[in-house]
Amino acid sequence: MKNMLLLTIFLFFLFGNVNSLLLDNNAQSTLQHDVDELKQTVAVLKQEVEKLKHPTVVAFLAELDGSYFTPTVGQHLIYSNVHLNTGNGYHKFHGTFIAPISGIYYINVAATVSEATSKTMKIKIKKNGTEVGYIFFDLLQAQWLKNRDAIIIHLTAGDEVWTEVVGISGGSQIATNFMHTYFSGFLINQD
Ligand SMILES: *[C@@H]1O[C@H](CO)[C@@H](O)[C@H](O)[C@H]1NC(C)=O
């Protein structure tokens, strides 16, 4: 019996595989099963490591271009000068960001509006029609003024975020170009 065990160990070092172990069929198939399972686990772990090494990036920045203008109530702002659109979530013809994957996002909007003490402008950030952010200019400014709003929000893949003018008086104008008015955001963490 002792000789048999020594022979087994010797053969294992010599050939290094399960078949070389002089085990009975039962023990051999159990061992083979364990080895196969470990191989599968390692393959899954390799995939996970690759994912961690290359996290999904979603980031966009687009600004209003053309001439400054007076929008109308209900108008969606269309930021057609796209500076960055990694992940292709931003849609420049509609001014809408559509979350390509589910997760927590940071959304940052800035607007610059013309001076005059009798004018107002209200712009909301909306997610699928629900208000999630708000920028307003209220009668006070004596010069063109820039305001901004930044929010952190969970978006499910397919959710839509846009900016919409919800109130205006006195013919307020929105400034374009030079990063006066822009829409931006990025994925903080994928679900
Ligand atoms: C938001 O709207 C998009 C497009 O209509 C839709 O696919 C998505 O399911 C909506 N999300 C919620 C939470 O209603």
Side-chain angles (χ1 to χ4, degrees):
M1 191 58 206
K2 190 158 181 244
N3 283 343
M4 188 66 187
L5 184 63
L6 284 176
L7 180 62
T8 301
I9 291 170
F10 173 72
L11 284 173
F12 183 68
F13 278 115
L14 199 58
F15 298 108
N17 68 43
V18 172
N19 286 331
S20 67
L21 299 175
L22 300 180
L23 301 168
D24 63 49
N25 277 348
N26 222 2
Q28 189 167 316
S29 79
T30 306
L31 198 54
Q32 189 60 55
H33 176 258
D34 287 352
V35 168
D36 289 347
E37 240 177 31
L38 278 174
K39 276 184 184 165
Q40 258 177 23
T41 306
V42 169
V44 170
L45 286 176
K46 268 186 179 165
Q47 274 177 11
E48 295 284 319
V49 168
E50 280 309 306
K51 255 206 233 164
L52 288 172
K53 271 161 58 180
H54 307 284
T56 309
V57 177
V58 180
F60 71 100
L61 170 65
E63 70 170 316
L64 292 185
D65 64 1
S67 305
Y68 60 85
F69 61 98
T70 298
T72 54
V73 171
Q75 184 171 341
H76 292 203
L77 297 175
I78 312 281
Y79 307 82
S80 44
N81 186 1
V82 180
H83 293 284
L84 177 75
N85 196 13
T86 307
N88 294 314
Y90 179 68
H91 298 261
K92 72 183 226 172
F93 298 115
H94 299 103
T96 303
F97 174 70
I98 304 177
I101 53 175
S102 301
I104 310 249
Y105 286 83
Y106 178 87
I107 304 283
N108 179 42
V109 178
T112 304
V113 164
S114 60
E115 83 287 1
T117 50
S118 62
K119 296 175 180 175
T120 66
M121 172 97 67
K122 300 174 196 297
I123 299 167
K124 290 201 168 163
I125 307 173
K126 291 193 171 181
K127 168 192 163 183
N128 276 29
T130 304
E131 171 190 345
V132 291
Y134 187 26
I135 300 174
F136 60 89
F137 302 83
D138 255 347
L139 301 176
L140 299 169
Q141 72 270 21
Q143 298 181 330
W144 286 75
L145 186 67
K146 187 176 197 175
N147 279 341
R148 51 172 60 82
D149 205 8
I151 58 167
I152 293 170
I153 190 169
H154 180 270
L155 298 176
T156 302
D159 280 355
E160 302 187 2
V161 179
W162 67 85
T163 60
E164 185 177 324
V165 176
V166 298
I168 183 165
S169 68
S172 266
Q173 291 157 328
I174 295 187
T176 54
N177 301 310
F178 309 109
M179 291 299 284
H180 280 133
T181 304
Y182 62 84
F183 183 24
S184 66
F186 59 86
L187 174 69
I188 296 172
N189 192 52
Q190 189 174 354
D191 279 357

